[in-house]
Amino acid sequence: PPPPTTPPPPPTPTPNLFRRQRQMCIRDRYNSELTMINITLPDGNIKAFETPPSGLEVAQSISDGLARNCVAMELDDNLVDLSATIDRDTNIRLITSKDPEALEILRHSSAHVMAQAILRVYPDAKLTIGPAVEDGFYYDVDMAPVSEDDFAKIEAEIKKIIKEKLPIRRREVSKDEALDFYKDEPYKLEMISDLEDGTISFYEQGEFTDLCRGPHVPHTGVTKFIKLIKVSGAYWRADPSNPQLQRIYGTAFFTKNELKDHLKFLEEAKKRNHRKIGQALDLFSFHEEAPGMAFFHPKGMEIWNALVDYWRQEHRAAGYVESKTPIMLNRALWERSGHWENYRENMYTSSIDEMEYAIKPMNCPGGMLLYKTKPHSYRDLPLRIAEIGLVHRHELSGVLSGLFRVRSFHQDDAHLYMTPGDIEAEILGILHLSERMYGAFGLGFHLELSTRPDKSIGTDEQWETATNGLASALDAYGKKYALNEGDGAFYGPKIDLHINDALNRTWQCGTIQLDMSQPENFNLFYIDKDNQKHRPIMIHRTVFGSLERFLGILIEHFAGKFPLWLAPVQAVILPINDDLVPYASEVTDIFKDAGLRAEIDSRTESLNKKVREAQLQYVPLIITIGGKEKEAGTLSVRTLDGKVTYGIS
């Protein structure tokens, strides 16, 4: 046989082959790097993904605990669903239950869960809108009237939906597809018709689909702690000519304890309801003959007058003078001020002697007529003119709410006229005055600077000067303030003062509005040092805001237990028998002569009953007079904390 042959050795690679292999490796690595998605987190760390990840996958790559806690993400400064795919290098922020945006997302999702439950219980109901609001959410539904007694069966269905943990998925469709989908839903059809052509987003959870821009939590199981609160009527799109809907309110939290604490808060707020306390203390009432316009009873007027007396005392000390202007002025004035064009729908009008008039919704135009009654020099400025003016604004009947939302109210207005150099000092003066006056009631406050709205008058230069003037004064005041873009008055930017009551609720009461447009409209001027005419800068401001609303806030803040200086009845005199009534009447007169609001209770009821009734009326000083007190010329005084002090002269 032929000798075995040795296989030839492999060919030695040439330099060109080495070069080609190296180029292929470099190319493969380069292409791989091109497909990587780099996600930059808020702390600067970068996560790289070979395929486009969802927000949930980014969270899971960090930790399972974080993923369970996430509800959405911020992508390109927009909040989006956690399920959204990230197809490019970008920065993201994962939104967890601890972030301030999370609660609104949870509550918006909870509104969808409630709507789904309502449709399961009431299949013929027609849905409209269901937004998140400050303390929870609501959904307006066209259905037969429901009451809080019906909440149990809706909440039972809500619990089932939560237990099902239905994924909440976004789906985008064309406008035509959306119209076809909702062809049997008149309210949704109307909303879609108002939208511009383009992509419209739906959200689906199980059998339920809703028109919504999102974002939402990943699944219904996240909306674990929901509670329905109340139901009221609401017109579709706030128009009384449209159908009346059932507005069902609810609230939602991430934890059971948060929900429990909130329900306790609501229970305490219900006890402090100013309408119930006002009726129990005989302070005010409302009547069908004048909807939204309060009738103040004698005891209510005692508190009112105490407030006004204090207001006058503080304003005199701060260098203000007081004025009074008519409540009805002709159309030409309102056209000149801009109210006829910008505020007409909220004004009450009348025709007299073939001329149109309007009841004033604001005091400003009348105040400017007062300024024009005589010439002014720079030596007269700053000029601070205050007015407690009765104004009327048309509010829809569905939004009227005791003293908080009325159609007729007294505004503690003031108009300040000044030179540009006075702006900062005058605003600081108003802030310090407000601080003193709120402090008298134990009310704290925080500040917001509101800038130019879409609907406004005046030039860009005027708005910039006015806004900078307010910001400069706030900086000098030294307290933090929030910026509220686009929420200024139509005639100028403003500072809003939001007070905090005993339940830590906030109420917008005081406002400081810098106006350089109205002096132009009314041709206001002063003679400056150069002997030339110049436009004054004008500030509109309130402290209480609406006296009616401020009184309602105080009733709830004090829960009806007013401090001695505000109490409608400061002292009640209780003789222990009929023989002591004449002497008790003399004591009552002594109290009245001293300026105290005192009453005698001479009814033939037991002393214990009269004491109990006085306590229920929150009378600060309950004074009993027996034989010993008459003989010694002393009194026994019981205060609202239950303590009794004997032998007071």
Side-chain angles (χ1 to χ4, degrees):
T5 59
T6 303
T12 302
T14 66
N16 285 342
L17 180 61
F18 277 127
R19 190 178 296 114
R20 283 197 302 271
Q21 289 175 335
R22 184 169 178 273
Q23 286 171 343
M24 289 173 65
C25 288
I26 291 171
R27 186 187 65 211
D28 290 344
R29 187 182 306 150
Y30 176 71
N31 288 339
S32 173
E33 288 174 354
L34 278 181
T35 61
M36 296 295 283
I37 303 293
N38 295 303
I39 307 297
T40 305
L41 302 172
D43 62 2
N45 284 332
I46 297 175
K47 288 277 184 179
F49 295 84
E50 292 184 358
T51 58
S54 67
L56 180 60
E57 288 169 334
V58 175
Q60 288 170 337
S61 74
I62 300 171
S63 78
D64 289 338
L66 175 65
R68 286 192 298 271
N69 235 351
C70 282
V71 294
M73 64 176 166
E74 185 181 63
L75 183 64
D76 295 333
D77 296 324
N78 293 314
L79 293 177
V80 299
D81 299 304
L82 207 56
S83 59
T85 300
I86 307 168
D87 59 3
R88 65 194 179 284
D89 292 356
T90 188
N91 298 333
I92 77 163
R93 181 168 67 95
L94 296 167
I95 307 298
T96 73
S97 59
K98 303 298 182 186
D99 289 305
E101 304 94 336
L103 199 54
E104 182 177 349
I105 295 169
L106 175 76
R107 287 170 172 172
H108 193 178
S109 302
S110 299
H112 281 219
V113 170
M114 182 181 75
Q116 184 178 12
I118 289 170
L119 289 180
R120 286 185 179 184
V121 178
Y122 305 96
D124 295 331
K126 300 293 182 186
L127 300 179
T128 64
I129 58 170
V133 290
E134 185 177 355
D135 290 323
F137 58 89
Y138 70 79
Y139 217 114
D140 285 346
V141 189
D142 190 349
M143 61 189 298
V146 294
S147 70
E148 293 183 18
D149 295 335
D150 300 304
F151 284 178
K153 51 189 174 185
I154 299 174
E155 287 178 335
E157 203 60 47
I158 287 173
K159 288 178 182 175
K160 291 180 185 177
I161 295 168
I162 293 170
K163 195 172 182 180
E164 291 168 14
K165 294 186 177 180
L166 301 171
I168 302 176
R169 297 189 177 96
R170 180 185 178 93
R171 179 162 66 93
E172 295 185 348
V173 300
S174 68
K175 185 173 181 178
D176 288 340
E177 288 175 301
L179 290 169
D180 183 62
F181 183 86
Y182 279 116
K183 58 181 180 292
D184 297 323
E185 297 286 339
Y187 301 102
K188 299 293 186 184
L189 277 178
E190 186 176 332
M191 286 189 287
I192 295 168
S193 298
D194 290 342
L195 298 175
E196 295 180 2
D197 292 340
T199 302
I200 292 172
S201 57
F202 287 172
Y203 276 85
E204 301 172 333
Q205 53 196 58
E207 82 286 357
F208 177 74
T209 301
D210 205 356
L211 173 71
C212 186
R213 69 167 180 256
H216 285 282
V217 298
H219 59 82
T220 59
V222 179
T223 64
K224 204 170 180 180
F225 303 104
I226 295 177
K227 181 67 179 174
L228 303 192
I229 303 298
K230 64 179 180 178
V231 61
S232 65
Y235 293 111
W236 169 235
R237 294 194 159 175
D239 186 344
S241 63
N242 286 333
Q244 190 172 51
L245 311 170
Q246 298 294 297
R247 176 168 290 181
I248 301 175
Y249 289 88
T251 192
F253 288 89
F254 282 103
T255 69
K256 186 176 182 179
N257 284 340
E258 286 175 320
L259 177 59
K260 186 177 177 182
D261 290 344
H262 183 70
L263 295 177
K264 282 183 181 177
F265 165 81
L266 291 180
E267 193 60 37
E268 179 61 28
K270 192 181 291 185
K271 292 176 187 174
R272 292 170 179 255
N273 186 298
H274 75 280
R275 283 167 286 192
K276 291 182 179 178
I277 294 175
Q279 183 178 5
L281 299 186
D282 194 25
L283 303 181
F284 62 87
S285 58
F286 287 91
H287 301 273
E288 292 180 3
E289 291 78 2
M293 303 180 190
F295 288 68
F296 281 92
H297 302 190
K299 288 183 179 178
M301 284 305 299
E302 294 287 5
I303 305 174
W304 180 281
N305 289 332
L307 282 175
V308 172
D309 289 345
Y310 173 62
W311 180 90
R312 287 197 170 109
Q313 170 190 321
E314 285 287 353
H315 280 72
R316 286 193 192 105
Y320 287 75
V321 293
E322 190 174 354
S323 66
K324 184 175 178 61
T325 61
I327 67 167
M328 181 178 278
L329 302 106
N330 69 21
R331 173 176 174 170
L333 178 81
W334 300 112
E335 288 178 337
R336 193 173 180 184
S337 69
H339 287 86
W340 195 266
E341 179 184 355
N342 292 280
Y343 207 74
R344 170 70 183 82
E345 65 274 12
N346 298 103
M347 297 167 67
Y348 293 105
T349 61
S350 181
S351 182
I352 303 170
D353 295 335
E354 299 181 355
M355 183 180 291
E356 281 192 276
Y357 285 79
I359 299 176
K360 65 179 179 182
M362 299 170 184
N363 297 307
C364 330
M368 279 175 281
L369 292 181
L370 274 182
Y371 180 89
K372 292 189 69 171
T373 56
K374 65 178 184 179
H376 294 279
S377 160
Y378 71 93
R379 293 186 181 90
D380 303 328
L381 307 182
L383 184 60
R384 309 179 189 105
I385 305 177
E387 176 181 9
I388 297 181
L390 175 60
V391 299
H392 292 71
R393 299 178 186 177
H394 178 62
E395 301 280 3
L396 296 173
S397 58
V399 302
L400 299 176
S401 177
L403 296 176
F404 291 158
R405 197 73 176 265
V406 291
R407 289 174 171 169
S408 169
F409 59 95
H410 294 75
Q411 200 167 38
D412 71 318
D413 232 330
H415 299 103
L416 290 76
Y417 306 90
M418 67 203 72
T419 68
D422 295 326
I423 293 175
E424 184 174 312
E426 288 305 302
I427 292 175
L428 283 172
I430 296 168
L431 290 170
H432 289 303
L433 172 66
S434 301
E435 186 176 345
R436 286 196 305 276
M437 294 185 70
Y438 293 150
F441 307 97
L443 297 166
F445 66 94
H446 68 271
L447 302 162
E448 283 185 3
L449 173 59
S450 299
T451 58
R452 188 176 190 172
D454 294 333
K455 192 176 181 181
S456 63
I457 58 178
T459 66
D460 292 345
E461 184 181 357
Q462 287 174 327
W463 275 89
E464 184 178 358
T465 301
T467 304
N468 290 342
L470 292 181
S472 175
L474 284 171
D475 292 338
Y477 186 52
K479 290 190 177 180
K480 289 182 180 180
Y481 64 90
L483 191 62
N484 196 1
E485 295 280 2
D487 201 40
F490 72 85
Y491 48 77
K494 61 178 181 172
I495 297 170
D496 285 330
L497 293 89
H498 297 259
I499 61 176
N500 302 84
D501 69 7
L503 295 182
N504 206 31
R505 295 173 297 183
T506 58
W507 310 86
Q508 193 273 307
C509 289
T511 187
I512 305 169
Q513 300 172 357
L514 191 54
D515 187 346
M516 294 195 298
S517 298
Q518 294 293 8
E520 188 83 27
N521 293 342
F522 283 85
N523 193 26
L524 306 187
F525 63 88
Y526 66 95
I527 305 299
D528 207 349
K529 295 176 183 177
D530 58 6
N531 210 31
Q532 299 296 313
K533 291 181 178 180
H534 293 268
R535 292 273 181 250
I537 304 296
M538 186 172 109
I539 289 177
H540 312 251
R541 52 107 286 194
T542 63
V543 179
F544 292 156
S546 155
L547 263 71
E548 283 81 352
R549 184 166 175 265
F550 192 75
L551 177 54
I553 292 168
L554 290 182
I555 291 171
E556 299 199 359
H557 175 62
F558 292 118
K561 299 178 183 178
F562 293 102
L564 182 64
W565 72 279
L566 271 181
V569 178
Q570 295 172 317
V572 61
I573 317 300
L574 308 178
I576 65 172
N577 58 49
D578 291 346
D579 293 341
L580 292 167
V581 169
Y583 177 69
S585 297
E586 292 177 20
V587 172
T588 305
D589 290 340
I590 292 171
F591 272 63
K592 288 180 177 178
D593 290 343
L596 290 167
R597 298 186 286 274
E599 293 181 352
I600 182 172
D601 186 349
S602 57
R603 295 174 301 158
T604 56
E605 301 284 355
S606 70
L607 182 63
N608 285 341
K609 182 177 181 180
K610 290 194 282 189
V611 168
R612 178 62 182 153
E613 288 182 0
Q615 288 175 324
L616 290 174
Q617 288 291 303
Y618 302 131
V619 179
L621 304 175
I622 303 170
I623 296 169
T624 54
I625 294 178
K628 290 181 180 179
E629 283 78 18
K630 179 181 178 181
E631 184 177 345
T634 60
L635 305 171
S636 298
V637 181
R638 180 189 299 268
T639 48
L640 276 178
D641 56 8
K643 294 179 181 177
V644 182
T645 305
Y646 300 96
I648 296 178
S649 65

